[in-house]
Amino acid sequence: MNDVARAGQRLKEIIPWEDYDDDVRSVFAIANSWRDSHVLPMKSIRLSIAHRMRHMKLSGDVVARAKRMSSIRGKLRRHPGKLDQMQDLGGCRAIMDNISGVNAMVAECLQRMPHEVRNHKNYVDQAKSDGYRSHHLIFKFEGDGDRAVYRGRRVELQIRTKLQHEPPRVCRRLQLPNRMEP
């Protein structure tokens, strides 16, 4: 973990191409390995959410992806956090057809997920200043057996409606309040 923390500190810096040497390659190798260690937990949570949606007969889409290195570096520069403390290296989105599906999925995640909910931010009831609306849940992965090596990895799940998922410019074009439910 010390290597991950050091790599994160170095990734905050602007690294000129002429300084791209074995040390810099090592920094990126460590950071990429750390990010990659979140992929299995992320995929597991995505499959779990998709299964729960089918079981509950909720319609929508579930997607997942690892955070891009350029996004990791930008976030490290903008926020005082550390690479080993980032909570969204692995991220999932449940994009529901309607707000009742969002509420049902949030309740299900808070009550019945096998992973610990570390944090829940409700930007649906309390939108951000730019109109952004979504639920953000941070899970701490609880792996057993051969997945125990991934225990403790944090994965972010965002739950929102299709309308809330649209960029603000689409809402303006449709003359809808910014990302709000109709």
Side-chain angles (χ1 to χ4, degrees):
M1 292 308 295
N2 289 335
D3 289 342
V4 172
R6 277 193 294 275
Q9 288 300 317
R10 186 72 196 274
L11 288 175
K12 289 180 183 182
E13 302 169 10
I14 295 173
I15 303 170
W17 282 109
E18 57 271 12
D19 291 349
Y20 201 80
D21 57 12
D22 288 340
D23 180 52
V24 173
R25 279 190 278 284
S26 174
V27 164
F28 279 98
I30 290 166
N32 281 314
S33 178
W34 177 243
R35 180 191 56 193
D36 292 348
S37 76
H38 290 75
V39 170
L40 185 139
M42 174 193 69
K43 287 181 177 181
S44 176
I45 288 172
R46 184 191 109 22
L47 289 172
S48 191
I49 296 300
H51 171 77
R52 289 171 194 284
M53 284 173 63
R54 282 190 304 277
H55 179 73
M56 297 169 67
K57 296 181 177 32
L58 297 173
S59 56
D61 298 310
V62 185
V63 296
R65 74 173 186 185
K67 195 172 203 73
R68 292 184 305 263
M69 186 56 65
S70 59
S71 298
I72 292 169
R73 295 187 74 201
K75 187 171 185 177
L76 287 169
R77 288 182 190 126
R78 286 188 311 275
H79 303 288
K82 300 176 181 176
L83 179 60
D84 58 320
Q85 296 173 347
M86 282 182 123
Q87 302 184 87
D88 61 349
L89 292 177
C92 301
R93 282 192 185 131
I95 305 164
M96 313 304 290
D97 284 349
N98 54 51
I99 197 69
S100 63
V102 168
N103 293 334
M105 184 51 55
V106 169
E108 179 75 8
C109 289
L110 291 174
Q111 295 171 11
R112 294 189 184 86
M113 282 294 280
H115 311 288
E116 178 186 345
V117 176
R118 299 283 298 181
N119 194 1
H120 173 211
K121 290 184 180 167
N122 181 347
Y123 297 119
V124 172
D125 293 340
Q126 302 242 319
K128 288 187 170 185
S129 60
D130 64 356
Y132 176 84
R133 294 177 183 270
S134 182
H135 284 271
H136 288 213
L137 291 96
I138 306 297
F139 291 104
K140 181 179 167 188
F141 185 76
E142 300 292 338
D144 292 330
D146 60 344
R147 293 178 170 208
V149 69
Y150 301 103
R151 191 175 293 142
R153 298 295 188 274
R154 292 176 295 256
V155 175
E156 181 181 63
L157 170 65
Q158 298 175 359
I159 306 173
R160 61 179 70 136
T161 64
K162 288 181 179 181
L163 178 60
Q164 291 164 342
H165 186 64
E166 290 294 332
R169 67 181 178 279
V170 172
C171 294
R172 282 192 299 275
R173 189 176 70 235
L174 296 173
Q175 297 181 342
L176 296 171
N178 198 10
R179 296 184 184 193
M180 294 181 69
E181 276 302 297

